[in-house]
């Protein structure tokens, strides 16, 4: 009896777990390719080199249209940059400050505490500049899509000739990973789009993988510490579970 | 005593509470207590300043536009900082007194980097009010520095406590000259 | 007699004036608990613990959260990125909400299986249903607070349920919103109520426990304790047994919080709320899915809403629908089969609630909904009349000695 109930409880949990990815799958034929991620699994970590390269891809390819409004320059310390490097990166951007003593807003070079400036002042300007399509903010994109990392990787590499039966309207592009297969974003990466400062090869797969790595960090910057604490917590609680079970047996020894 | 334990003669604690002295039982409860204590730390630490707050810990100020005898107030870490361009007379008065006699003995010269520019945190060291004396026409107290209206503390032209309940001088924040005209506080 | 119990003079002094130690002592040693409770009786304590975790982490989150449409989303992101351990506290809050429902659902099914709702525990059961309703309201409003896409559209859809009420529906919805759409006033009142409700729940939990202690716990055999040989003291036996359950609960919670923190959430809630665009697949949190399936099973707006609420309210009258004098399903062979069918039916409803309302899913939802009500309104009353139950043991201790199966 008890085993049946436990099995049922597990089945119940499994059903819940199964139903979630099912919900996420959208209409249209969507093909995702699985990347290999150092951040996967309970001991996952962020590869600093990949993140720095990904940040470079973001700056040179994506940042023209996509902002990252929740990322401050100081956060780049996670990528392995030191304080002076972060100051230098920040100083390349201008942010609005003010009002000054005359009541005017003014532009000044960014400082580490500033958030990264976004390419458009608001959504309306963004739409007006992109044929009515809104380029989403990328700071949370890896968590805001189901199977975030694989999805982004597949999306960037998913541009293809449309099959004969699919009509692609003007200003739209065929993408095998996108829900509905028609996307307003032109193909961002062809290979050799970026000359990596560390000399890594600039293949489409490499660029897409590095960018995904960077975006995953941006969405979940506390992942490394989370998993590290998690391993310790699970270890502690496993011991606690064993001990309390033994203690329970000891206390109940006289009852049956 | 309504003891529901079915064991006969169950009156003393060990029988009422079997396993009470067992290592494994004691260790289990102890482990639970340690775990609970460990969890309280994040719940408390979340009240400490967050990363974005700490990142805003410094402010840059252009001090070249402050006329002699004038003062400005800038915000640093959410608190007012008084920057006063002191006159020769004010500097002389700050140096005229033997600092050993003061409640909080400090030479004027260790409180400034350039004698004409006094930078102090504008928070009374008594209970945290903002003293008067920044604007022309405001009460500056008996020593021509600042006067705290809350409980009547008088500060001199070096921001030192001279009279009233405040225990220490106005705090000098850490600052440095980035150039002749710009200082960075914090 | 009370004062002499304690050797510590301070304890004795306090207890003489404020007998809290005597009360604790009474609960620990004098309150008789059936000796044959299995691990399914852990779930009441686990639910209480989940409530405490939710209240503690919630109070702490409220210190860092801003209830304003322009700042709610970014204040949550600030918690996740900048506040010390903020990510940990929020993930615990998010995941414990789901675990709370898992625990309470198991607690409810345990009650259904062992007949814990039957006389004289009807009020105990009904208070439990009240707690369940309050939990759903609290969880719903809490999900709105991060002001993501699912927050916004969940709030819109659920509040619109009330528009099904004839004549006054529209006015009620406007009243709930404090405006003409879900907006800042809505967010503010939801935050206020989300903060209040857990304490209301805690109050009803106290009543639930008072009602429990009137006749004590039911047990797997479902017959009353006949005397001291059938019972043991709560401490140390059930404190240590609950500790095992607590350890298991925390272990699973830790796995979720640290390794799958967003598995029970929806990715769309990491997109800021946009009143101009509804996500393609809008679904409530998983724990509402069975009720959502019932709502959608009916092609009529008012009918769907009524049926959904009826699905919960039928639990209130359950003690009078099932009139069988035998409590535990162990001695009710037919009831046991139907219990499992109901269980499967509820899982199916949960699965269907997460599917798009089209094609075969609509038909299956209707069948599952029909079966749900058939079970409570027809099968249970019939079973009470026609079922042949197995003979009951004479006392709790008798089968405990014979089969140690039900006890760990």
């Amino acid at each position: 009896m008890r085993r049946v109930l436990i099995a049922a409880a597990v089945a119940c949990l499994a059903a819940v777990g199964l139903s979630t990815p099912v919900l996420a799958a959208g209409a249209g034929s969507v093909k995702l390719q699985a990347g290999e991620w150092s951040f996967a699994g309970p001991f996952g970590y962020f590869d600093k080199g990949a993140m720095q390269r990904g940040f470079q891809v973001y700056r040179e390819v994506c940042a023209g249209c996509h902002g990252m409004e929740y990322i401050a320059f100081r956060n780049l310390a996670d990528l392995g940059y030191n304080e002076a490097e972060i100051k230098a990166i920040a100083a390349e951007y201008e942010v609005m400050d003010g009002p000054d003593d005359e009541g005017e807003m003014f532009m000044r070079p960014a400082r580490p505490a500033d958030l990264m400036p976004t390419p458009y002042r608001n959504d309306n300007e963004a739409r007006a500049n992109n044929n009515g399509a809104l380029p989403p903010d990328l700071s949370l994109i890896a968590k805001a899509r189901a199977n975030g990392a694989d999805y982004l990787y597949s999306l960037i590499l998913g541009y293809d000739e449309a099959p004969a039966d699919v009509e692609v309207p003007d200003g739209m592009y065929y993408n095998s990973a996108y829900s509905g297969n028609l996307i307003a974003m032109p193909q961002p990466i062809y290979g050799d789009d970026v000359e990596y400062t560390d000399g890594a090869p600039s293949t489409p797969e490499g660029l897409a993988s590095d960018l995904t790595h960077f975006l995953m960090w941006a969405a979940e910057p506390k992942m490394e510490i989370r998993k590290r604490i998690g391993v310790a917590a699970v270890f502690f609680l496993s011991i606690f579970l064993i001990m309390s079970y033994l203690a329970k047996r000891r206390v109940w020894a006289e009852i049956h | 005593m309504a003891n529901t334990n079915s064991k006969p003669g169950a009156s003393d604690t060990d029988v009422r509470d079997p396993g009470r002295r067992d290592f494994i039982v004691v260790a289990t409860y102890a482990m639970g207590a340690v775990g609970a204590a460990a969890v309280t730390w994040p719940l408390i630490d979340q009240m400490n300043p967050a990363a974005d707050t700490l990142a805003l810990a410094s402010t840059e100020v252009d001090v070249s536009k402050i006329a002699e005898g004038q003062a400005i107030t800038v915000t640093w870490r959410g608190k007012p900082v008084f920057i006063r361009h002191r006159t020769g007379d004010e500097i002389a008065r700050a140096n005229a007194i033997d600092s050993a006699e003061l409640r909080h003995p400090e030479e004027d010269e260790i409180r400034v980097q350039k004698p004409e520019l006094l930078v102090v945190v504008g928070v009374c060291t008594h209970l945290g009010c903002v003293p008067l004396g920044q604007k022309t026409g405001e009460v500056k107290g008996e020593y021509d520095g600042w006067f705290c209206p809350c409980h009547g503390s008088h500060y001199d032209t070096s921001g030192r406590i001279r009279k009233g309940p405040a225990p220490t001088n106005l705090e000098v924040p850490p600052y440095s000259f980035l150039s002749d005209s710009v200082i960075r506080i914090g | 007699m009370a004062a002499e119990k304690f050797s510590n003079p301070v304890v004795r002094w306090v207890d003489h004036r404020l007998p809290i130690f005597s009360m604790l002592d009474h609960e620990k040693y004098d309150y008789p608990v059936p000796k044959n409770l299995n691990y399914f009786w852990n779930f009441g304590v686990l639910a209480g613990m989940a409530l405490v975790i939710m209240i503690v982490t919630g109070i702490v989150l409220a210190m860092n959260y801003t209830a304003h449409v322009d700042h709610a989303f970014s204040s949550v992101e600030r918690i996740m990125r900048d506040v010390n351990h903020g990510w940990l506290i929020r993930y615990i809050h998010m995941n414990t909400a789901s675990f709370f429902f898992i625990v309470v659902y198991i607690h409810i099914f345990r009650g259904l299986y062992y007949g814990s709702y039957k006389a004289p525990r009807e009020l105990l059961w009904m208070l439990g249903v009240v707690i369940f309703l309050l939990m759903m309201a609290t969880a719903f409003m809490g999900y709105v607070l991060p002001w993501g896409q699912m927050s916004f559209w969940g709030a819109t859809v659920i509040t619109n349920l009330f528009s099904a009420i004839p004549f006054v529906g529209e006015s009620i919805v406007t009243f709930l919103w404090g405006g003409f759409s879900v907006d800042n006033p809505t967010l503010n009142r939801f935050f206020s109520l989300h903060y209040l409700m857990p304490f209301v729940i805690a109050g009803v939990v106290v009543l639930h426990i008072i009602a429990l202690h009137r006749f004590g716990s039911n047990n797997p055999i479902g017959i009353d304790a006949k005397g001291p040989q059938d019972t043991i003291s709560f401490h140390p036996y059930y404190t240590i047994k609950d500790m095992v359950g607590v350890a298991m609960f925390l272990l699973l919670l830790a796995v979720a919080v640290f390794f799958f923190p967003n598995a029970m959430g929806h990715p769309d809630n990491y997109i800021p709320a946009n009143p101009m665009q509804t996500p393609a697949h809008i679904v409530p949190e998983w724990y509402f899915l069975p009720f959502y399936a019932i709502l959608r099973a009916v092609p009529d707006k008012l009918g769907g809403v009524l049926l959904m609420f009826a699905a919960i309210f039928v639990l209130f009258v359950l003690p009078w629908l099932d009139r069988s004098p035998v409590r535990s399903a162990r001695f009710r062979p037919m009831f046991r089969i139907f219990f499992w069918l109901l269980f499967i039916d509820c899982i199916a409803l949960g699965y269907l609630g997460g599917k798009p309302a089209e094609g075969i899913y609509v038909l299956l939802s209707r069948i599952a909904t029909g079966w749900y009500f058939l079970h409570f309104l027809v099968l249970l009353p019939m079973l009470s009349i026609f079922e042949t139950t197995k003979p009951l043991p004479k006392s709790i201790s008798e089968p405990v000695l014979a089969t140690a199966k039900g006890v760990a």
Side-chain angles (χ1 to χ4, degrees):
Chain A
M1 169 63 221
R2 218 168 82 230
R3 270 190 207 102
V4 178
L5 283 175
I6 290 166
V10 171
C12 173
L13 283 176
V16 168
L18 281 178
S19 61
T20 320
V22 172
L23 305 176
S29 65
V30 171
K31 286 193 295 273
L32 292 194
Q33 13 185 334
E36 286 202 9
W37 309 115
S38 70
F39 48 76
F43 300 99
Y45 62 95
F46 288 126
D47 178 342
K48 288 195 167 67
M51 286 196 293
Q52 292 198 3
R53 292 193 297 274
F55 178 50
Q56 199 188 340
V57 178
Y58 166 72
R59 287 222 282 173
E60 294 178 22
V61 178
C62 320
C65 303
H66 296 276
M68 295 192 83
E69 60 173 327
Y70 296 111
I71 307 297
F73 291 105
R74 63 187 160 83
N75 298 138
L76 297 175
D78 290 2
L79 272 55
Y81 292 112
N82 63 34
E83 205 177 322
E85 288 168 323
I86 291 171
K87 269 187 186 163
I89 293 169
E92 294 170 25
Y93 291 80
E94 291 239 302
V95 293
M96 187 179 278
D97 201 348
D100 62 12
D101 295 344
E102 276 77 47
E104 301 296 330
M105 303 304 279
F106 59 92
M107 300 302 284
R108 61 159 174 79
R111 295 194 283 255
D114 290 315
L115 294 170
M116 300 216 327
T118 50
Y120 306 108
R121 284 169 299 171
N122 48 53
D123 285 0
N124 291 358
E125 191 190 19
R127 283 183 202 281
N129 281 285
N130 290 283
N131 285 329
L134 178 69
D137 188 85
L138 295 185
S139 23
L140 277 163
I141 201 80
K143 280 201 292 190
R145 300 288 182 271
N147 306 317
D150 287 344
Y151 170 77
L152 293 172
Y153 181 70
S154 310
L155 186 81
I156 295 162
L157 298 176
Y159 288 86
D160 212 341
E161 283 297 313
D165 58 332
V166 177
E167 197 183 323
V168 181
D170 257 6
M172 299 296 271
Y173 305 88
Y174 183 83
N175 190 310
S176 59
Y178 193 67
S179 173
N181 295 143
L182 293 174
I183 188 169
M185 175 170 75
Q187 181 167 354
I189 278 174
Y190 293 87
D192 294 323
D193 311 75
V194 172
E195 196 168 323
Y196 278 140
T197 47
D198 67 355
S202 185
T203 61
E205 288 77 16
L207 291 162
S209 164
D210 290 340
L211 179 61
T212 304
H213 215 108
F214 169 70
L215 292 176
M216 193 66 221
W217 163 79
E220 188 73 2
K222 304 292 184 189
M223 185 215 71
E224 278 185 356
I225 181 81
R226 164 160 66 77
K227 289 184 174 175
R228 260 209 308 280
I229 297 178
V231 170
V234 167
F235 178 74
F236 178 89
L237 289 168
S238 305
I239 305 281
F240 182 50
L241 176 61
I242 295 166
M243 298 247 305
S244 46
Y245 182 67
L246 293 176
K248 186 257 167 192
R249 294 252 302 228
R250 166 67 191 88
V251 170
W252 279 71
E254 300 145 46
I255 296 292
H256 41 95
Chain B
M1 177 147 161
N3 197 321
T4 54
N5 198 317
S6 56
K7 298 285 168 295
S11 58
D12 90 272
T13 331
D14 273 9
V15 178
R16 210 163 75 141
D17 203 345
R20 189 182 154 94
R21 301 208 175 137
D22 257 293
F23 168 74
I24 190 82
V25 179
V26 174
T28 303
Y29 283 115
M31 222 177 151
V34 168
V39 175
T40 54
W41 172 243
L43 299 173
I44 295 166
D45 190 37
Q46 55 83 24
M47 292 220 265
N48 277 317
D52 58 334
T53 312
L54 292 173
L56 288 174
S58 66
T59 305
E60 288 174 19
V61 188
D62 183 354
V63 295
S64 61
K65 288 181 190 136
I66 311 170
E68 193 172 303
Q70 296 295 307
I72 61 164
T73 306
V74 296
T75 312
W76 173 64
R77 294 184 179 173
K79 291 181 292 194
V81 169
F82 297 160
I83 305 176
R84 187 185 278 196
H85 189 162
R86 298 192 293 184
T87 60
D89 179 45
E90 283 172 335
I91 298 168
R93 287 179 58 188
N95 282 304
I97 176 161
D98 177 6
S99 69
E101 294 169 15
L102 298 178
R103 180 179 305 163
H104 180 187
E106 270 183 331
E107 294 289 345
D108 181 58
E109 57 201 51
I110 68 156
R111 293 176 55 80
V112 290
Q113 293 182 18
K114 290 182 181 173
E116 64 273 21
L117 202 71
L118 177 68
V119 182
V120 289
V121 176
V123 174
C124 180
T125 56
H126 180 221
L127 291 172
C129 296
V130 177
L132 301 174
Q134 279 295 87
K135 297 193 192 99
T136 36
E138 258 180 13
V139 189
K140 292 189 171 186
E142 290 175 23
Y143 298 88
D144 221 18
W146 289 273
F147 170 70
C148 182
C150 291
H151 306 96
S153 290
H154 297 256
Y155 296 92
D156 67 11
T157 54
S158 186
R160 290 174 297 197
I161 180 65
R162 300 294 286 271
K163 187 180 173 186
T168 58
N169 301 337
L170 290 179
E171 187 197 340
V172 178
Y175 66 95
S176 55
F177 281 86
L178 296 180
S179 68
D180 277 349
S181 58
V182 178
I183 62 168
R184 183 168 72 182
I185 306 168
Chain C
M1 90 154 211
E4 290 77 33
K5 270 199 283 220
F6 307 104
S7 50
N8 185 325
V10 178
V11 170
R12 214 180 307 151
W13 189 92
V14 173
D15 196 69
H16 186 62
R17 288 150 183 87
L18 178 72
I20 44 172
F21 296 102
S22 288
M23 275 171 63
L24 278 177
D25 210 59
H26 180 79
E27 294 304 317
K28 275 167 74 180
Y29 299 112
D30 301 339
Y31 170 61
V33 188
K35 63 202 291 184
N36 61 334
L37 300 188
N38 60 32
Y39 275 106
F40 282 100
W41 266 262
N42 278 10
F43 285 87
V45 164
L46 294 182
M49 196 169 117
L51 178 64
V52 170
I53 295 176
M54 291 308 280
I55 290 179
V56 169
T57 52
I59 288 172
V60 163
L61 286 172
M63 295 181 189
N64 297 291
Y65 170 76
T66 310
H68 186 284
V69 289
D70 292 340
H71 304 293
F73 192 88
S74 51
S75 75
V76 171
E77 270 315 300
R78 182 174 173 272
I79 290 172
M80 295 298 288
R81 291 164 191 275
D82 288 334
V83 172
N84 302 315
H85 315 286
W87 60 270
L88 173 62
I89 297 163
R90 174 165 180 252
Y91 276 155
I92 292 177
H93 197 73
M94 273 168 67
N95 284 281
T96 307
S98 279
F99 271 66
F100 199 176
F101 275 95
I102 293 173
V103 163
V104 162
Y105 279 134
I106 296 176
H107 193 59
I108 292 173
F109 275 105
R110 191 269 284 153
L112 288 173
Y113 188 85
Y114 294 110
S116 301
Y117 47 86
K118 294 190 182 187
R121 297 187 182 83
E122 300 97 322
L123 274 179
L124 171 61
W125 170 262
M126 290 163 80
L127 286 166
V129 180
V130 171
I131 294 172
F132 179 49
L133 273 173
L134 289 170
M135 271 177 70
M136 293 206 286
T138 312
F140 158 65
M141 289 188 288
Y143 194 52
V144 176
L145 303 184
W147 209 242
Q149 274 288 68
M150 280 294 163
S151 301
F152 181 87
W153 293 102
T156 301
V157 169
I158 301 294
T159 47
N160 261 316
L161 291 180
F162 294 93
S163 72
I165 302 168
F167 308 116
V168 291
E170 291 295 330
S171 318
I172 288 177
V173 174
T174 309
F175 166 76
L176 289 174
W177 287 340
F180 301 103
S181 62
V182 174
D183 208 337
N184 202 43
T186 327
L187 179 61
N188 268 302
R189 63 190 60 186
F190 277 19
F191 180 50
S192 171
L193 291 171
H194 181 71
Y195 206 122
L196 167 71
M197 297 282 258
F199 299 99
V200 180
I201 293 178
V204 185
V205 166
V206 169
L207 297 179
H208 193 66
I209 291 172
I210 293 174
L212 170 70
H213 284 205
R214 181 71 182 84
F215 295 102
S217 293
N218 183 28
N219 65 78
I221 293 176
I223 59 174
D224 294 327
K226 300 275 192 314
Q229 75 279 4
D230 288 342
T231 62
I232 45 179
S233 60
F234 193 88
H235 183 79
Y237 300 104
Y238 285 109
T239 31
I240 197 74
K241 191 164 182 171
D242 284 336
M243 188 84 100
V244 180
V246 165
M248 193 61 177
F249 172 86
L250 291 177
L251 181 60
L252 294 175
L253 179 64
V255 169
V257 165
F258 291 109
F259 300 110
F260 307 97
N262 294 306
M264 287 181 284
H266 196 291
D268 278 18
N269 226 27
Y270 283 108
I271 304 170
N274 179 357
M276 297 297 128
Q277 192 180 14
T278 310
H281 294 282
I282 136 153
V283 280
E285 288 278 78
W286 69 265
Y287 36 81
F288 293 134
L289 289 177
F291 300 102
Y292 195 59
I294 293 174
L295 170 77
R296 296 190 312 184
V298 186
D300 177 67
K301 186 172 176 181
L302 180 61
V305 173
L306 287 180
L307 211 59
M308 186 181 73
F309 283 108
I312 300 162
F313 282 100
V314 75
L315 295 174
F316 274 111
V317 290
L318 174 61
W320 294 276
L321 293 171
D322 178 8
R323 307 300 300 252
S324 169
V326 178
R327 291 199 190 105
S328 172
R330 279 194 192 171
F331 307 103
R332 301 184 63 189
M334 292 298 287
F335 173 85
R336 196 155 70 195
I337 293 168
F338 286 115
F339 169 86
W340 286 112
L341 286 175
L342 177 74
F343 181 79
I344 294 165
D345 188 56
C346 290
I347 301 285
L349 280 170
Y351 173 78
L352 293 166
K355 289 299 194 186
E358 56 196 31
I360 185 76
Y361 298 128
V362 178
L363 179 66
L364 290 174
S365 298
R366 287 182 188 162
I367 294 171
T369 303
W371 183 264
Y372 182 91
F373 286 101
L374 187 77
H375 177 90
F376 285 108
L377 298 176
V378 180
L379 294 173
L380 283 187
M382 301 239 301
L383 280 180
S384 345
I385 302 167
F386 297 110
E387 186 179 33
T388 321
T389 56
K390 289 190 200 163
L392 290 173
K394 280 194 204 65
S395 77
I396 290 175
S397 354
E398 185 189 277
V400 164
L401 297 172
T403 60
K405 211 179 153 196
V407 190

